Amino acid sequence: MKLFHGWLSSASRRVRLCLAEKALPYEGIPIDMSKQEHHAPEFLAMNPNGVVPALLIGPGRSLYESSTICEYLDELHPLPPLRPSDPYERAVMRNFVRWTDEKSLPNLLILNWSIALQPGASQWSDAQLKEKLARIPTAERREAWSRIARQPYTEEEKATALDRLLQLVDKMEQMLAASTWLVGDRYSLADIAAVPFIARIDELAPRALSADLHPRVQAWWAAVRQRPAFAEARFDRFDDALRARQRESAAGA
């Protein structure tokens, strides 16, 4: 298997964590989003949405959407199980994963892209911007790239995005009232879905994860970080990882 991924992408981190939990070997191929490598024809052949990650299983066989990839891996390699055995709990798990994709991801995108991609995109000429936008397959992502290139998100917009992102912590605190993990009595794809967002919140607003505000989430986060797969999946601090990627990119230029 080959995983085409971004080191700082929350969806890529989710799949890397799933692969680590399963102890599955794979070849990781980093995609440089600042260079729009995920909009190249070769990548679009694997993922027509033009976003990371994409999992190449074999010639002409690829998967995209991190939630789909993770469920595929759990079906193909059922041990250790990462989905609840109870059908209702599996449905609750899927609803939660979808909630993070619809509610958390758009706000994290604003915060992360403002740091990681806006400085470079703002330097593009109008002709370069037009050419790059033409390669982006979805209207949503064309708008996001247009914003960071010509109308960077304001401090007020970023503050609002952070407030909305923190709604995830409130939701998790309620879910964890019933058990140690988010759905059912064992670690699942619901927890894996939340980890990339909580990792970033821990850097952006660590107070939100304090024991006096969200004691259950704090305990959950401590338990997650103790799992061997967490270290294997490479959840480096965003700023540190960004600087490292930038140094590597400059050295290869």
Side-chain angles (χ1 to χ4, degrees):
M1 291 187 296
K2 294 183 179 180
L3 179 68
F4 295 78
H5 66 107
W7 285 112
L8 302 179
S9 154
S10 57
S12 297
R13 287 176 162 187
R14 180 187 291 179
V15 174
R16 292 203 306 269
L17 187 54
C18 182
L19 286 162
E21 287 287 347
K22 295 289 184 180
L24 294 175
Y26 67 96
E27 180 183 355
I29 301 176
I31 296 296
D32 191 333
M33 293 178 62
S34 66
K35 296 179 180 178
Q36 293 199 312
E37 292 178 351
H38 52 316
H39 300 150
E42 298 80 9
F43 187 87
L44 292 174
M46 295 184 292
N47 184 346
N49 292 331
V51 296
V52 289
L55 183 69
L56 183 64
I57 302 166
R61 300 186 69 206
S62 59
L63 289 173
Y64 53 95
E65 295 297 334
S66 59
S67 58
T68 300
I69 293 172
C70 288
E71 288 220 37
Y72 166 81
L73 293 172
D74 196 54
E75 287 186 5
L76 197 64
H77 304 277
L79 296 177
L82 291 177
R83 291 176 297 172
S85 57
D86 177 72
Y88 174 76
E89 289 184 346
R90 284 200 302 274
V92 171
M93 177 202 77
R94 292 187 180 108
N95 275 345
F96 175 76
V97 173
R98 183 173 181 177
W99 190 94
T100 64
D101 289 341
E102 294 180 350
K103 303 294 185 181
S104 301
L105 182 58
N107 294 296
L108 187 60
L109 181 150
I110 290 172
L111 298 166
N112 285 354
W113 284 29
S114 294
I115 298 171
L117 301 178
Q118 187 272 328
S122 65
Q123 301 302 310
W124 296 338
S125 67
D126 290 345
Q128 287 174 317
L129 176 59
K130 182 178 179 180
E131 184 273 330
K132 292 177 185 296
L133 292 179
R135 301 170 60 192
I136 301 174
T138 66
E140 177 187 18
R141 287 304 172 98
R142 283 195 296 272
E143 180 183 357
W145 280 95
S146 295
R147 281 297 311 268
I148 62 170
R150 292 294 182 267
Q151 293 179 299
Y153 295 102
T154 65
E155 292 304 313
E156 182 178 357
E157 286 177 309
K158 287 185 279 189
T160 298
L162 180 58
D163 286 342
R164 290 173 177 169
L165 179 61
L166 293 179
Q167 291 174 6
L168 171 63
V169 189
D170 294 332
K171 184 176 182 67
M172 289 174 59
E173 187 72 14
Q174 295 174 359
M175 294 173 68
L176 290 167
S179 62
T180 302
W181 302 110
L182 287 172
V183 178
D185 58 359
R186 69 181 181 220
Y187 185 82
S188 75
L189 296 181
D191 302 286
I192 286 176
V195 169
F197 298 105
I198 297 300
R200 193 70 179 106
I201 288 171
D202 195 19
E203 297 166 5
L204 294 167
R207 174 88 174 106
L209 305 182
S210 63
D212 55 327
L213 291 181
H214 296 101
R216 299 186 190 103
V217 176
Q218 186 196 57
W220 172 92
W221 183 222
V224 164
R225 287 178 291 173
Q226 290 172 3
R227 300 179 71 86
F230 181 82
E232 176 133 359
R234 291 278 304 274
F235 276 75
D236 304 329
R237 282 188 59 88
F238 190 90
D239 292 344
D240 292 343
L242 177 59
R243 283 191 289 269
R245 301 290 88 78
Q246 290 170 339
R247 287 195 298 269
E248 291 173 3
S249 179

